């Protein structure tokens, strides 16, 4: 085993451990599950008035962006130079947007957090997107190997514009706006601490490098197994610490735990996972790394990917609205839209959230900005 591979595995393990500690801290402090697809999709749906405001998503998104910008200054080798083909990025984003919305989660919510909760739904989703990603990336590797490499100097098909200062500015806007809504310093500081740590873990682990992701998903003679250590180290931390955290009566900064409660295995978990896996294999990008990667030299490519993600998420929301319309008892569009406004299935990674009170009673909560009843991503 080469020294470079050993170094890569070591950094992946370190980054994965930080990711695990970040998600554990988020659970212990805020009482929620860390889910990057909901964090990215939620503010878009809030901005377009399709769901209730969720200040947790807004602050966490700002923290991820700020963490990525800081890491670009402190650890620029964690990013790649150049840009990626715009058509691959936008198509990948569309597929991931559809898949993570229909499948209720991505690698963070389902992978690191869902499996740590022994969620059967998350197990189905992870198997669906991971197996699809491996099969598709391995099949496409001979044809797209050169296209998956960052183009430097950038070409007309792979825009290359530094967004670092813009990311700094936008991150402060998100954080300030979310803080204005929340108004509780302990909650704001907790969210920022955890999101900054999550961004650091992503950069150190190599997850923000699409070529690294492709090197892991595409099985071939040059296979890079290092990202497997990201997953195992992060999941191991969660499996060890989560049971101790859940013995607490309440999280440190919030009045109650706010965790997913859905248990039904639905077909959408499978085909949502498959669609997500297709997009992940094609672009080598998933929601968390796209946010943190905005500060890299390939930031414009990540921005283009996000544009595709929002398109895909919107398509999935329309599909879900139609499902709710067909399934509503009265069959009226008004009732279906009312159901859409008050369901967590669109914004978050699981259907509902269970608010676990100190007394031990539990209740279902919808998405809101109040500290005691904001639904989480998982």
């Amino acid at each position: 085993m080469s020294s470079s591979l050993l170094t890569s595995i070591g950094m992946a393990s370190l980054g994965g451990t930080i990711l695990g500690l970040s998600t554990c801290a988020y659970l212990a402090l805020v009482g929620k599950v860390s889910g990057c697809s909901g964090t990215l999709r939620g503010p878009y749906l809030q901005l377009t008035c399709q769901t209730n405001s969720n200040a947790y998503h807004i602050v966490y998104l700002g923290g991820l962006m700020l963490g990525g910008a800081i890491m670009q200054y402190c650890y620029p080798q964690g990013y790649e130079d150049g840009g990626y083909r715009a058509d691959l990025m936008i198509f990948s984003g569309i597929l991931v947007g559809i898949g993570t919305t229909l499948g209720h989660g991505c690698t963070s919510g389902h992978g690191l957090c869902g499996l740590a909760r022994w969620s059967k739904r998350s197990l189905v989703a992870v198997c669906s997107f991971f197996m699809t990603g491996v099969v598709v990336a391995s099949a496409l590797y001979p044809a797209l190997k050169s296209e998956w490499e960052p183009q430097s100097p950038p070409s007309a098909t792979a825009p290359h514009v530094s967004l670092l200062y813009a990311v700094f500015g936008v991150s402060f806007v998100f954080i300030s706006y979310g803080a204005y809504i929340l108004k509780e310093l302990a909650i704001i500081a907790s969210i920022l601490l955890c999101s900054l740590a999550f961004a650091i873990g992503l950069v150190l682990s190599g997850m923000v490098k699409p070529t690294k992701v492709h090197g892991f998903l595409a099985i071939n003679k040059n296979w890079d197994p290092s990202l497997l250590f990201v997953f195992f180290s992060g999941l191991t931390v969660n499996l060890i610490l989560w049971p101790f955290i859940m013995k607490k009566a309440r999280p440190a900064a919030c009045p109650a735990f706010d965790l997913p409660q859905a248990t039904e295995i639905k077909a959408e978990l499978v085909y949502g996972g498959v669609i997500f896996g297709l997009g992940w294999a094609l672009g080598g990008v998933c929601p968390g790394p796209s946010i943190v990667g905005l500060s890299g030299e390939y930031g414009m490519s990540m921005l283009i990917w996000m544009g595709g993600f929002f398109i895909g998420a919107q398509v999935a929301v329309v599909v879900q609205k139609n499902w709710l319309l067909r399934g509503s008892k009265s069959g009226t569009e008004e009732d279906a839209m009312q159901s859409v406004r008050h369901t967590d299935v669109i914004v978050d990674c699981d259907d509902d959230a269970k608010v676990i009170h100190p007394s031990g009673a539990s209740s279902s909560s919808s998405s809101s900005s109040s500290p005691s009843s904001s639904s989480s991503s998982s």
Side-chain angles (χ1 to χ4, degrees):
M1 186 178 295
S2 66
S3 59
S4 61
L5 181 57
L6 285 173
T7 301
S8 182
I9 290 175
M11 292 301 295
S13 300
L14 174 61
T17 299
I18 294 174
L19 291 174
L21 291 173
S22 169
T23 55
C24 286
Y26 198 60
L27 179 67
L29 295 172
V30 186
K32 298 179 182 295
V33 170
S34 304
C36 290
S37 60
T39 297
L40 181 58
R41 180 174 57 249
Y44 161 74
L45 293 177
Q46 294 165 42
L47 183 64
T48 53
C49 301
Q50 298 180 73
T51 189
N52 298 326
S53 178
N54 188 319
Y56 294 83
H57 283 157
I58 297 171
V59 176
Y60 201 96
L61 177 60
L64 287 177
M65 295 176 67
L66 180 60
I70 292 173
M71 287 301 288
Q72 170 62 17
Y73 270 117
C74 300
Y75 189 69
Q77 59 267 41
Y79 298 82
E80 290 177 325
D81 296 328
Y84 302 92
R85 273 181 49 181
D87 55 344
L88 287 180
M89 288 292 102
I90 195 167
F91 190 49
S92 168
I94 290 172
L95 291 173
V96 174
I98 294 173
T100 55
T101 304
L102 296 180
H104 314 295
C106 60
T107 53
S108 57
H110 277 314
L112 287 179
C113 300
L115 295 182
R117 296 187 294 111
W118 302 100
S119 167
K120 294 179 181 179
R121 287 167 54 86
S122 290
L123 179 61
V124 170
V126 170
C127 290
S128 299
F129 66 69
F130 180 73
M131 292 176 64
T132 301
V134 169
V135 171
V136 173
S138 299
L140 294 178
Y141 179 78
L144 294 180
K145 178 183 177 182
S146 60
E147 304 295 340
W148 285 342
E149 296 291 333
Q151 301 178 25
S152 183
S155 66
T157 59
H160 176 101
V161 178
S162 177
L163 302 177
L164 181 60
Y165 297 110
V167 171
F168 264 120
V170 173
S171 68
F172 281 112
V173 170
F174 279 129
I175 293 169
S176 300
Y177 178 63
Y180 172 77
I181 297 174
L182 286 172
K183 293 183 172 64
E184 296 195 27
L185 182 59
I187 299 177
I188 298 166
S190 297
I191 299 173
L192 273 178
L193 172 67
C194 297
S195 57
L196 288 171
F198 200 91
I200 292 171
L202 285 176
V203 175
L204 294 180
S205 69
M207 285 291 294
V208 298
K209 295 181 176 181
T211 55
K212 190 81 171 175
V213 175
H214 283 134
F216 168 65
L217 291 177
I219 306 298
N220 56 77
K221 64 179 182 179
N222 298 316
W223 182 58
D224 180 357
S226 57
L227 293 191
L228 197 61
F229 290 83
V230 178
F231 176 73
F232 282 130
S233 57
L235 182 58
T236 299
V237 170
N238 283 350
L239 286 171
I240 293 172
L241 296 182
W242 277 49
F244 294 99
I245 297 172
M246 292 309 301
K247 289 180 180 178
K248 301 291 184 180
R250 49 165 287 180
C254 292
F257 287 102
D258 188 4
L259 302 176
Q261 68 175 9
T263 58
E264 182 182 357
I265 306 296
K266 300 180 180 180
E268 61 199 42
L269 288 170
V270 177
Y271 54 73
V274 169
I275 296 172
F276 168 34
L278 285 169
W280 193 27
L282 187 63
V285 182
C286 56
S290 74
I291 300 168
V292 177
L294 284 172
S295 297
E297 293 297 320
Y298 50 83
M300 183 58 70
S301 294
M302 295 298 102
L303 189 62
I304 291 172
W305 185 95
M306 281 187 183
F309 177 89
F310 295 138
I311 292 172
Q314 186 63 66
V315 169
V317 167
V318 172
V319 170
Q320 289 177 323
K321 287 180 180 179
N322 290 333
W323 287 347
L324 288 170
L325 177 61
R326 293 178 182 179
S328 62
K329 293 181 180 180
S330 64
T332 66
E333 182 175 359
E334 181 179 354
D335 288 343
M337 290 303 295
Q338 190 72 8
S339 297
V340 168
R341 293 188 187 100
H342 296 288
T343 184
D344 296 328
V345 67
I346 289 178
V347 177
D348 297 315
C349 304
D350 240 321
D351 295 340
D352 294 301
K354 178 188 289 183
V355 179
I356 305 174
H357 300 281
S359 63
S362 64
S363 63
S364 178
S365 70
S366 63
S367 179
S368 77
S369 61
S370 65
S372 61
S373 64
S374 177
S375 65
S376 63
S377 298
S378 87

